[in-house]
Amino acid sequence: MRIQTLTGATIQAALLEARRRFGDDVVLLESIPPQGDQPARITIMVDERLEMPEALPYGYGAALARAQKAVGKTTPAANDTAEVLVAPQASPEKPAATLNGRGQLFPQRTAPPAPAPSATAGSAEVQLERLSRRLARLERQLGSALVGTSHRWLAHPLATELLRQGLRSATVIRLFDRLLAQGFDPEQPEEQLRWALAREMRRQLSPTTPRPLQGTLVCIGAAGSGKTSVVLKLARHPGFFGRRLVAVLVLMPEEVESQPYISPVDLYRRFELPVQTVSRPDEMAAALRRLQGFDQVLIDTPSLPLLEGPARRLLLQLRQLLSPIVPLQVLFTLNATTNLEDLPPEFLQRLPLSPDALVLTHWDEVRRPGRLYDWLVALARPVVCLSSGSRVPESLEAFSPTAYIEQLLRL
């Protein structure tokens, strides 16, 4: 496979040129719409075996010959087969082998490796998890960029609009294929297709419909996601808890107290909210006795690590502290501007405190809201509200899947 970059008056024109030159089996990696005097640009991945090369510009053939001569190679014929040499992997039980100048193998005498310290093992675990996420991210990007039999939809103005909003090309193709299965055709009036597309997208987003908040709420989220701000706005917003008496618990497990963590207790007191900190199970029991006269309890927590190992350890400690509280609803606060590739839905679904619902924060800073569509569909959790700005509590509003789709489709 090799990477190619093409330009055109529009993204659709560049895609058509890519399919004309390389066939339909191309992988779209990136598309940038035209800006000012700059043409549209796409980056694709092409199978070299299927490539239909054009004549090299003047001078390139001579440069290629000089480069091949410098490295002592000649271009093989199309039907020739090249021998691929693979370096043998050293077995853990046997010493590695090296080659001398005459090409004979001799065992390499090396001392047995010293046992790695525990810190190295922890670092290796972190690196493996990061590598796994990067590979999964690449797989999703390639899968979303495949241009197949439904590529004709990508030239439709509605498809272009959704791509600009941040939806993946594979998602756009699936949505329009659903319309095709329902009897719609690309040649129909755009307004009819727009409303049909809105109904299909609304159907897929039905799991995100908000539900009433019930029981004690515990708010979890990564650093910078706005957990404390959400708890504060919920506690003060009359549209969520009305005239109910609200108190706040701040969980600070003993293992976390040694780490940098700014306690939000003073902030809650500044807004005249009753607040208590809890570090141990006996403190939780005492706090619950003191909170029996309140109608609603909101719980703030330390920042959630984005690596699964540390995240599980923290949430297991929190779950132990929260075990006396029934019913318990877990709210996950997501910074809507974050890189969603670093926070796959499968990661949240495997956590010891898996989210029951979502709160989307920093909504006023989102430039391409469509990039959240696939993530919300995959997680399939209700979205309680949106947080935009820092005003308490006015900047908190209920989430509407219908309004979100109308924003994407400009209805």
Side-chain angles (χ1 to χ4, degrees):
M1 305 294 284
R2 61 183 274 195
I3 304 299
Q4 291 277 358
T5 300
L6 293 87
T7 60
T10 64
I11 293 177
Q12 290 73 31
L15 281 172
L16 290 174
E17 176 65 16
R19 290 194 292 271
R20 184 189 69 81
R21 292 179 55 183
F22 306 112
D24 289 339
D25 296 327
V26 298
V27 177
L28 178 65
L29 299 180
E30 183 183 27
S31 61
I32 301 177
Q35 298 178 353
D37 297 332
Q38 300 294 325
R41 186 170 73 253
I42 63 171
T43 302
I44 61 173
M45 182 179 292
V46 185
D47 191 338
E48 293 180 344
R49 295 171 300 177
L50 302 178
E51 184 176 352
M52 294 174 277
E54 299 178 352
L56 290 174
Y58 178 78
Y60 274 60
L64 179 59
R66 288 195 300 270
Q68 292 171 344
K69 183 177 180 181
V71 297
K73 294 182 178 179
T74 58
T75 305
N79 295 329
D80 289 345
T81 58
E83 180 180 352
V84 179
L85 299 180
V86 181
Q89 299 286 339
S91 172
E93 297 82 5
K94 300 179 181 180
T98 59
L99 286 169
N100 73 347
R102 293 175 296 175
Q104 296 177 349
L105 287 173
F106 291 91
Q108 183 179 6
R109 301 180 182 274
T110 57
S118 58
T120 304
S123 175
E125 178 186 355
V126 170
Q127 292 177 3
L128 285 174
E129 183 168 349
R130 287 176 177 170
L131 178 60
S132 176
R133 287 193 180 187
R134 289 175 183 172
L135 292 175
R137 181 191 312 173
L138 178 60
E139 183 179 356
R140 288 192 295 270
Q141 289 174 345
L142 292 178
S144 67
L146 286 174
V147 181
T149 58
S150 303
H151 57 74
R152 63 175 181 148
W153 285 109
L154 292 180
H156 196 280
L158 276 179
T160 303
E161 193 172 326
L162 291 177
L163 290 173
R164 287 176 179 171
Q165 290 283 359
L167 271 75
R168 299 184 303 170
S169 57
T171 302
V172 175
I173 289 174
R174 285 196 300 268
L175 286 170
F176 279 96
D177 280 348
R178 288 285 302 169
L179 298 189
L180 187 64
Q182 297 170 18
F184 290 92
D185 187 86
E187 303 302 326
Q188 288 186 238
E190 182 177 319
E191 194 67 14
Q192 293 182 10
L193 291 175
R194 189 180 297 269
W195 283 105
L197 189 61
R199 287 192 294 270
E200 177 61 26
M201 295 177 70
R202 179 62 182 86
R203 183 191 65 80
Q204 293 188 9
L205 277 179
S206 58
T208 67
T209 304
R211 300 173 187 172
L213 297 175
Q214 298 177 350
T216 301
L217 303 180
V218 56
C219 195
I220 64 174
S225 63
K227 291 184 290 74
T228 299
S229 176
V230 166
V231 172
L232 187 59
K233 293 173 185 178
L234 284 173
R236 282 300 181 192
H237 202 295
F240 287 94
F241 296 117
R243 298 179 179 272
R244 284 182 277 182
L245 294 176
V246 180
V248 177
L249 286 181
V250 177
L251 299 190
M252 298 180 63
E254 293 178 335
E255 293 80 358
V256 179
E257 289 181 350
S258 59
Q259 303 177 8
Y261 176 55
I262 300 176
S263 174
V265 171
D266 292 338
L267 178 62
Y268 291 126
R269 288 174 177 167
R270 193 184 311 162
F271 282 85
E272 300 180 349
L273 284 171
V275 58
Q276 297 185 57
T277 59
V278 173
S279 300
R280 304 187 307 271
D282 59 323
E283 293 179 354
M284 176 63 79
L288 293 178
R289 287 194 297 268
R290 288 191 290 268
L291 295 177
Q292 288 181 356
F294 289 88
D295 304 313
Q296 182 67 50
V297 177
L298 304 178
I299 302 177
D300 199 353
T301 60
S303 298
L304 183 69
L306 291 183
L307 294 177
E308 186 165 354
R312 291 185 65 86
R313 287 191 289 271
L314 173 62
L315 292 180
L316 286 173
Q317 297 167 16
L318 297 183
R319 191 170 69 177
Q320 183 180 7
L321 287 176
L322 295 169
S323 58
I325 301 177
V326 177
L328 180 70
Q329 190 171 16
V330 181
L331 295 183
F332 183 80
T333 58
L334 172 70
N335 182 344
T337 66
T338 195
N339 182 4
L340 299 175
E341 300 291 347
D342 293 331
L343 197 64
E346 301 82 14
F347 167 75
L348 297 179
Q349 293 166 349
R350 291 193 301 264
L351 294 178
L353 287 177
S354 181
D356 299 304
L358 298 174
V359 177
L360 300 179
T361 63
H362 299 268
W363 190 250
D364 54 322
E365 304 171 17
V366 177
R367 298 183 59 186
R368 303 173 69 203
R371 56 190 289 273
L372 289 158
Y373 180 84
D374 284 300
W375 195 89
L376 293 174
V377 171
L379 188 62
R381 295 290 192 278
V383 180
V384 175
C385 53
L386 307 174
S387 179
S388 305
S390 58
R391 292 178 294 112
V392 178
E394 297 84 1
S395 58
L396 199 68
E397 60 176 319
F399 174 76
S400 168
T402 301
Y404 171 62
I405 294 170
E406 290 176 351
Q407 178 184 1
L408 293 180
L409 293 173
R410 305 183 189 278
L411 292 172

